[in-house]
Amino acid sequence: MNTFGHIFRLTTFGESHGEAIGGVIDGMPPGIDIDMAFIQRELNRRRPGQSKITTSRQEPDQVELLSGVFEGKSTGCPIGFIVRNQNQHSQDYENMRNVFRPSHADFTYQQKYGIRDHRGGGRSSARITISRCVGGALAKLALKQKGISIQAYTSQVGDIALERDYHRYDLALTETNAVRCPDLEKAAQMEELITRVKAEGDTIGGVITCVIKGCPAGLGEPEFDKLHVTLGAAMLSINAVKGFEYGEGFAGVTARGSEQNDVFLPPYDTATNHSGGIQGGISNGQDIYFRVAFKPVATLLKEQKTVDLEGNPTTLTAKGRHDPCVLPRAVPIVEAMAAMTILDHFLLSKVQKW
């Protein structure tokens, strides 16, 4: 439903054009230094209006923690938080009140609930991922004490793609450009493509790669809560995500086992990491890396054929402020979901006391 996690749990609320977005986090370990500046920076990475290739909606996305923190440290009690919406243009969506956007959640929400909020997609809007970024920022602060870091980056937009091997890039360059790509030449090409697509009133998709370093061996459950299963579920819960692969993924299916196996070196190291840091559903201590595919945004600023609430044929030209490509703003969301997943498994594993 609206809750993620087993021990570290995030419950979210809010809609795109409602009063606020917010949530409650339960299971945060006590005694963690709560760096509000860091949490706000994580939200700033996700917020709209960052550049010419994102939506022009202007929101400060200022987070306020309501509970669970005392004298700058987590208490172990639930952390409630809220981020108020301040720049809704609900009138921009009036022409969508009685029609369905193709490939959007409009139709499925109407079928499931018999009612929907047409303003910006309501609960199906990517704006609700604010809550995930707050939860992820708090999870990152806890994981930092264990030496675990998480870095995602845009690795493909349309047909412009980086090499699959993340070792080829300086990931510190990710935040130096609007696309959040560590290859500056490819980043410029990606930005030019997104700009061109936006000018046409169209949208485009791509891929985000994520790397988790410092994760100890032993995280993950042996059957239904395998580490890659929960990471996959976390990523597939993000708006517009259509695919997830870890390690060599689909690219490894053409290789022989003798080429794919990560042969052990004494005492417990390997020369390769085709497995992506996970074997048998449990982390093996190597870098965990995975790729997340995002489809083009469904809302287009060009005419499309559709139907109205009664099923009659009509056309729709969407209005409002929309991202031509979700990749730049989705990078921190991927990191957030990865951080919450790893922290939840850490707490489940009882590998060591906090």
Side-chain angles (χ1 to χ4, degrees), residues 224-244:
F224 298 110
D225 277 334
K226 295 177 179 178
L227 183 54
H228 62 273
V229 171
T230 51
L231 277 171
M235 298 307 141
L236 290 165
S237 74
I238 300 172
N239 309 55
V241 169
K242 302 296 284 186
F244 168 84

Side-chain angles (χ1 to χ4, degrees), residues 113-273:
Y113 299 109
I115 187 173
R116 67 184 174 92
D117 185 346
H118 66 282
R119 306 167 304 165
R123 185 69 172 158
S124 69
S125 169
R127 183 151 180 78
I128 66 168
T129 57
I130 286 173
S131 298
R132 299 170 184 234
C133 286
V134 175
L138 289 166
K140 282 184 175 183
L141 290 173
L143 292 174
K144 183 179 179 181
Q145 294 197 3
K146 298 300 179 184
I148 300 173
S149 65
I150 299 171
Q151 172 76 68
Y153 61 92
T154 298
S155 55
Q156 183 171 345
V157 173
D159 60 358
I160 303 170
L162 274 61
E163 298 289 336
R164 293 174 61 90
D165 185 0
Y166 63 90
H167 294 97
R168 293 174 177 265
Y169 304 100
D170 179 1
L171 301 189
L173 297 175
T174 299
E175 294 294 320
T176 64
N177 57 82
V179 187
R180 293 199 163 92
C181 172
D183 183 318
L184 301 187
E185 182 177 345
K186 288 289 181 70
Q189 296 174 19
M190 291 174 179
E191 184 170 352
E192 191 278 329
L193 174 59
I194 296 171
T195 300
R196 187 168 71 250
V197 167
K198 180 181 180 181
E200 297 168 355
D202 217 329
T203 61
I204 197 162
V207 176
I208 288 175
T209 297
C210 187
V211 183
I212 304 172
K213 292 180 174 290
C215 188
L219 300 189
E221 301 303 310
E223 186 60 15
F224 298 110
D225 277 334
K226 295 177 179 178
L227 183 54
H228 62 273
V229 171
T230 51
L231 277 171
M235 298 307 141
L236 290 165
S237 74
I238 300 172
N239 309 55
V241 169
K242 302 296 284 186
F244 168 84
E245 63 175 5
Y246 72 102
E248 291 294 312
F250 288 101
V253 302
T254 58
R256 304 290 181 89
S258 56
E259 298 170 311
Q260 281 287 295
N261 282 353
D262 296 316
V263 178
F264 280 109
L265 301 174
Y268 301 111
D269 199 1
T270 59
T272 59
N273 185 18

